[in-house]
Amino acid sequence: MNLYPLGKFLMSVILKIKGYKISGLENFPHEGPVIVACNHISMWDPVIVGCAMPRQVYFMAKEELMKLPVVGFILRSVGAFPVKRGQGDISAFRRSLGLLKEGRVLGIFPEGTRSKSGDIQEAMSGIALIVEKSHAPILPVKVYGAKGLLKQKRGKIGIIIGEPIYADRLALPDKKENRREWLANKIMDLVDQM
């Protein structure tokens, strides 16, 4: 059962009431594989990002959430899939590559967990491996105002969508040895600068 269209419609109504802002939508590729890389400040981030994008976004969700009866059902029914954090999760990696091979949109929070301060955190290098193997463009997305979404004042919530990045066009700087680590943090630096 795919509840994505219904969920997107209902949440979009709430976000519009809250004065939700979207900038940079013209940067979103309308076809082909895309990796949406977002900062992570709230449990509402996937909802906010998913409602902004014209195509369905398939998010990774921490495995613990998928095990919760109601939450897990909702996440699976909107296309989310589990990832075991803190270890190389081959199943999540394969699922990510499969979605991208099908020309779909993959949503990732490279920081791996929500930022309590709201500041950009160190990125996990897993996104770089997915980028290398899929050759999909990366779409940097910055979410703001999502913390305490329902209590936020009108007009304080939104996202900024940056221009697509193609990893094979980025040269590893001198004195940097770990390309994956550098690329993952480069993506988050770009998100932070938006």
Side-chain angles (χ1 to χ4, degrees):
M1 177 188 313
N2 185 358
L3 295 179
Y4 195 91
L6 176 62
K8 181 175 180 174
F9 171 76
L10 294 174
M11 291 310 301
S12 292
V13 169
I14 292 169
L15 289 170
K16 284 178 184 170
I17 291 168
K18 297 297 284 179
Y20 173 56
K21 297 176 185 171
I22 304 167
S23 63
L25 193 56
E26 67 278 3
N27 295 322
F28 186 83
H30 292 283
E31 58 184 35
V34 181
I35 299 169
V36 174
C38 318
N39 61 318
H40 202 6
I41 56 175
S42 165
M43 67 177 189
W44 293 104
D45 297 340
V47 172
I48 291 171
V49 173
C51 286
M53 303 301 169
R55 296 166 55 197
Q56 181 169 349
V57 182
Y58 295 82
F59 283 99
M60 287 186 184
K62 65 180 179 178
E63 184 180 47
E64 297 85 355
L65 289 176
M66 302 301 266
K67 292 179 179 177
L68 299 172
V70 175
V71 173
F73 169 77
I74 292 169
L75 290 173
R76 281 187 295 280
S77 65
V78 296
F81 60 98
V83 62
K84 295 175 187 167
R85 296 185 309 166
Q87 56 183 292
D89 186 340
I90 299 298
S91 178
F93 176 72
R94 286 184 181 145
R95 176 80 171 125
S96 298
L97 290 181
L99 287 165
L100 293 167
K101 189 175 183 179
E102 293 170 5
R104 298 187 187 265
V105 181
L106 175 67
I108 299 180
F109 298 102
E111 298 161 292
T113 190
R114 289 179 300 216
S115 169
K116 291 179 182 172
S117 67
D119 296 330
I120 299 291
Q121 305 173 93
E122 186 82 12
M124 307 280 187
S125 59
I127 187 172
L129 182 61
I130 294 168
V131 169
E132 285 175 4
K133 298 295 182 186
S134 70
H135 304 285
I138 307 142
L139 195 67
V141 173
K142 185 170 191 172
V143 179
Y144 62 90
K147 225 175 210 173
L149 175 94
L150 299 177
K151 296 177 185 176
Q152 275 287 14
K153 291 183 180 176
R154 183 171 164 72
K156 300 290 184 185
I157 305 159
I159 68 168
I160 303 167
I161 303 167
E163 293 182 10
I165 304 163
Y166 296 86
D168 55 353
R169 298 179 191 167
L170 298 174
L172 183 68
D174 292 338
K175 299 182 182 176
K176 295 283 183 184
E177 295 176 10
N178 187 328
R179 178 167 174 75
R180 288 180 184 156
E181 185 178 289
W182 172 80
L183 179 57
N185 284 302
K186 173 74 174 170
I187 293 165
M188 293 316 297
D189 286 345
L190 292 169
V191 169
D192 194 27
Q193 292 167 17
M194 296 188 334

